[in-house]
Amino acid sequence: MNIVDSARPLDGAGVSAFLRSLPARPLLLGLGEARHFVEELGELRNEVFRHLVEHEGYRSFAIESDCLRGLVVDGYIRTGAGTLDDVMERGFSHGFGASPANRELVRWMRAYNEEHDEKLRFFGFDGPLEYWAASPRQALTALYDLLDGPLPRTVVTRETLDALLGPDDRWSTEAAAMDPAQSIGRSVDAQRLRLVADDLVALLDTQAPQLSAEDRARAALYARTATGLLRYHYWMADASPARWTRLSALRDALMAANLRAVAEHGPALVSASNLHLQRNRSSMSFGDQQLEWWSAGAITATHLGDRYAFLASALGTAGDDTPPPDTVEGILSTLPWNRCLVDARRLARAVTEPTRRVSHDFAYFPLDPAHLDMIDGVVFLKRAVRLSALG
């Protein structure tokens, strides 16, 4: 089989044909990034999303960014609250607010909502995490405030909750990322907060009938985030060799829980690193360790089955980094189009024992030839030149 037979130019018709080729209409369509901060890839993603909205009934977009900050973006897109500059500064984590492609996406989604009754939604689905983690204050106090009536105060008073949380900077210190002794995740206060969070989550179930649908969804987000952050902080204080594997797994588990909530809003395009969206186990070198954990995509696919689909992205020449001809990216570079959509399973049958690319760009994660059959398709850019220093 010639590899040309597995590919077609990437345009709206190609995207629709890809969707029709799937065994079921996906609730979540993951479009992975082989590298963050590639502007050509962000622009292509925006084109795909516009087509999905205008021709395939998609109404939601989710990105690998802080789920609580994402509420700022969603509010702006739905109501026009705030300014675009402010939203880009406050509504994204990981430096993604500085991306021109992300700015254009938010601008377009807001403009669409101004002209249509059926509104688009925006979601961050990462936790409030970098390598370190934020204070659980925002999530815990917001959940507490949504649980109306005397019951929350029988669990803990607001004053006691504030005292247990203490100053936010004792939670969010960057030094805790590499030094477990700097983390307060196993302190007496932190362990008591885990019990408080568990009780508040239980109260949410008992009070669900009196909450509006929007408040229930918001409270569930705060509950997932609060319990997820407290678990993450607990393992940040761990000094065993399992520490970073456990932290990576917890982050992706929280992502997966958020993605299942996004799926309840109907078909959504999901933008994140290939590592988070792939169906197979993720792996990454971290210092002298090789970390392996189940990705958010693998967990999500376990729950959604065929209602989850995954398009990995891959780059040919990126900046001055050119793929060797015997790698998957090198083979795809022989295709006649600068950007194309490739049937990954047909590609796996067409290529003969490719080697895995070793990129000079530490931020690029090459395709793994051994797992092409676990990808629904590959979005390939033959050349990308606009690689942000943020990546």
Side-chain angles (χ1 to χ4, degrees):
M1 180 188 297
N2 191 305
I3 64 164
V4 174
D5 297 331
S6 69
R8 62 179 297 158
L10 182 57
D11 53 20
V15 171
S16 290
F18 165 75
L19 290 176
R20 290 193 297 271
S21 74
L22 297 172
R25 178 178 171 83
L27 288 171
L28 297 178
L29 174 59
L31 176 53
E33 291 184 329
R35 186 195 192 278
H36 288 320
F37 303 107
V38 179
E39 278 304 302
E40 292 95 336
L41 187 57
E43 292 164 359
L44 186 153
R45 175 208 65 192
N46 291 353
E47 291 179 29
V48 170
F49 183 60
R50 287 195 293 269
H51 176 81
L52 292 172
V53 169
E54 294 168 352
H55 300 280
E56 299 294 341
Y58 277 58
R59 292 294 178 267
S60 297
F61 179 86
I63 190 171
E64 180 193 336
S65 182
D66 183 334
C67 54
L68 299 185
R69 290 191 181 207
L71 297 173
V72 175
V73 186
D74 187 56
Y76 173 78
I77 286 170
R78 288 202 285 169
T79 70
T83 66
L84 181 56
D85 285 344
D86 181 60
V87 165
M88 298 310 297
E89 181 178 351
R90 296 193 300 115
F92 290 85
S93 59
H94 311 327
F96 293 156
S99 162
N102 286 342
R103 184 184 183 90
E104 173 57 23
L105 174 73
V106 173
R107 187 208 62 76
W108 181 83
M109 291 179 72
R110 174 60 197 150
Y112 181 96
N113 280 353
E114 287 179 326
E115 298 176 358
H116 296 82
D117 293 331
E118 192 175 3
K119 304 303 183 186
L120 303 181
R121 297 292 307 273
F122 180 98
F123 299 92
F125 72 93
D126 200 355
L129 307 167
E130 297 291 343
Y131 283 110
W132 57 98
S135 165
R137 175 184 300 280
Q138 180 182 357
L140 272 175
T141 56
L143 176 60
Y144 185 93
D145 291 343
L146 276 173
L147 298 175
D148 191 26
L151 280 176
R153 289 186 288 278
T154 67
V155 175
V156 63
T157 65
R158 182 59 182 268
E159 293 74 21
T160 300
L161 182 59
D162 287 338
L164 290 172
L165 287 163
D168 287 346
D169 58 6
R170 69 173 185 159
W171 295 93
S172 57
T173 174
E174 296 182 25
M178 303 309 297
D179 182 4
Q182 298 295 315
S183 171
I184 67 164
R186 297 191 178 183
S187 66
V188 173
D189 286 351
Q191 295 195 58
R192 185 174 173 192
L193 281 169
R194 293 187 74 182
L195 293 175
V196 169
D198 183 70
D199 278 339
L200 290 177
V201 172
L203 281 174
L204 172 58
D205 287 336
T206 69
Q207 297 194 11
Q210 70 190 43
L211 298 174
S212 68
E214 183 172 351
D215 280 349
R216 285 197 302 274
R218 187 72 63 93
L221 171 62
Y222 292 140
R224 290 192 302 273
T225 306
T227 55
L229 277 173
L230 287 165
R231 289 190 198 104
Y232 195 91
H233 279 289
Y234 178 87
W235 280 93
M236 284 192 73
D238 180 64
S240 78
R243 179 177 187 255
W244 274 108
T245 295
R246 183 62 174 161
L247 290 172
S248 300
L250 285 173
R251 180 187 178 195
D252 272 65
L254 179 56
M255 285 183 172
N258 285 332
L259 285 177
R260 292 197 296 277
V262 171
E264 295 177 4
H265 295 271
L269 181 67
V270 181
S271 175
S273 168
N274 286 343
L275 284 182
H276 294 305
L277 296 183
Q278 64 194 19
R279 289 189 179 92
N280 52 290
R281 287 174 70 87
S282 294
S283 63
M284 183 177 68
S285 296
F286 190 83
D288 59 356
Q289 297 185 67
Q290 186 67 26
L291 309 181
E292 290 193 4
W293 70 96
W294 284 111
S295 68
I299 298 169
T300 301
T302 299
H303 289 271
L304 297 184
D306 289 339
R307 306 305 300 276
Y308 175 74
F310 171 47
L311 283 167
S313 72
L315 305 177
T317 299
D320 59 0
D321 186 44
T322 301
D326 59 346
T327 62
V328 176
E329 289 93 333
I331 294 168
L332 291 176
S333 294
T334 65
L335 290 168
W337 310 289
N338 184 55
R339 59 186 214 177
C340 56
L341 182 56
V342 185
D343 183 318
R345 292 177 176 85
R346 294 182 70 184
L347 176 65
R349 296 193 296 270
V351 298
T352 305
E353 298 183 354
T355 60
R356 184 167 184 169
R357 180 180 186 177
V358 177
S359 177
H360 301 301
D361 182 353
F362 75 93
Y364 182 79
F365 292 90
L367 287 176
D368 185 349
H371 293 115
L372 288 178
D373 60 346
M374 300 185 73
I375 300 171
D376 296 300
V378 176
V379 168
F380 182 70
L381 289 178
K382 184 180 293 187
R383 181 167 182 80
V385 297
R386 286 175 290 153
L387 312 180
S388 169
L390 289 171

